[in-house]
Amino acid sequence: MLAAVLLGACANLAAPGPGDAERADPSKDGGRRAVESAIEYYHFVRQLEPAELERERDALAVGVGDPLNQLLQAMALARPPGSNIPRALALLGVVDASTRPEAVALRPLACLLADQFAEQQRLDAAAQSLTRQLERTGQHLKESRRHARQLEEKIEALTEIERTLPERPAAHAAPPPPPTERRITR
């Protein structure tokens, strides 16, 4: 599949025109084709089902260690499910650090992807943190509801006890007189 995508990307490119100096330079044309192929591959990988994506990752892993293959492998590794962003970032770092001519043309794309994958990694970490916080909040809410039910049960029990108590006699009688003081004289 990888070869078909790469060959298809190369076949779709227009032939260099006679007045086009940039296209006349084979190294720039090859670099542009590599970038275009990588972009097409990026769109291709986004459409894959999980099983197909896993097969694609396996196929890229046994490929040669050229910069384009490393870039494509990083793209496949960054896609969920089963994404491996740290490994993808490491591969993009290798492409960025390479001095090979084919790597130089891929550097801007590798840097762009590295920024995107790092942001994706940061957002994934934030989402996991929020999920943990939400789980803790949910647990606290359950405990609060349980505590509220227990308090309601205690109030109901106290109310029932109060209803079963005999009524007290009315306290309309005058208060008892204060005790008289005895004076002792000597």
Side-chain angles (χ1 to χ4, degrees):
M1 260 196 263
L2 172 65
V5 170
L6 292 176
L7 289 175
C10 292
N12 290 335
L13 297 176
D20 195 349
E22 183 178 299
R23 286 189 175 190
D25 183 4
S27 66
K28 287 186 181 181
D29 190 41
R32 185 175 51 82
R33 275 188 268 167
V35 169
E36 288 174 355
S37 296
I39 292 171
E40 286 184 18
Y41 182 76
Y42 180 81
H43 293 293
F44 166 74
V45 158
R46 291 177 52 94
Q47 312 268 334
L48 294 178
E49 296 294 324
E52 295 170 323
L53 180 61
E54 195 57 40
R55 283 193 297 272
E56 192 66 25
R57 287 176 182 154
D58 292 342
L60 287 168
V62 296
V64 294
D66 71 322
L68 180 58
N69 185 51
Q70 291 169 331
L71 187 77
L72 299 180
Q73 191 175 4
M75 288 179 193
L77 285 169
R79 293 293 307 151
S83 61
N84 187 347
I85 302 286
R87 175 79 175 119
L89 288 171
L91 285 168
L92 293 173
V94 170
V95 172
D96 188 41
S98 177
T99 57
R100 294 172 61 176
E102 58 270 20
V104 172
L106 294 171
R107 273 189 192 148
L109 182 58
C111 290
L112 180 72
L113 289 172
D115 288 346
Q116 179 186 353
F117 296 163
E119 181 67 10
Q120 181 179 342
Q121 188 175 31
R122 186 189 68 76
L123 291 173
D124 287 345
Q128 288 175 354
S129 174
L130 288 173
T131 300
R132 284 191 302 272
Q133 185 178 1
L134 185 60
E135 288 171 353
R136 282 192 304 269
T137 302
Q139 185 64 30
H140 289 301
L141 180 61
K142 284 180 183 178
E143 290 175 13
S144 295
R145 286 180 179 163
R146 183 183 55 78
H147 186 67
R149 276 194 308 272
Q150 288 175 342
L151 289 175
E152 286 175 9
E153 289 170 2
K154 288 179 181 178
I155 290 172
E156 288 174 10
L158 288 173
T159 304
E160 187 60 33
I161 290 172
E162 187 177 308
R163 278 189 218 136
T164 60
L165 289 175
E167 289 194 32
R168 295 182 183 171
H172 296 294
T180 55
E181 292 182 23
R182 288 183 161 173
R183 290 189 184 182
I184 302 178
T185 53
R186 285 195 190 214

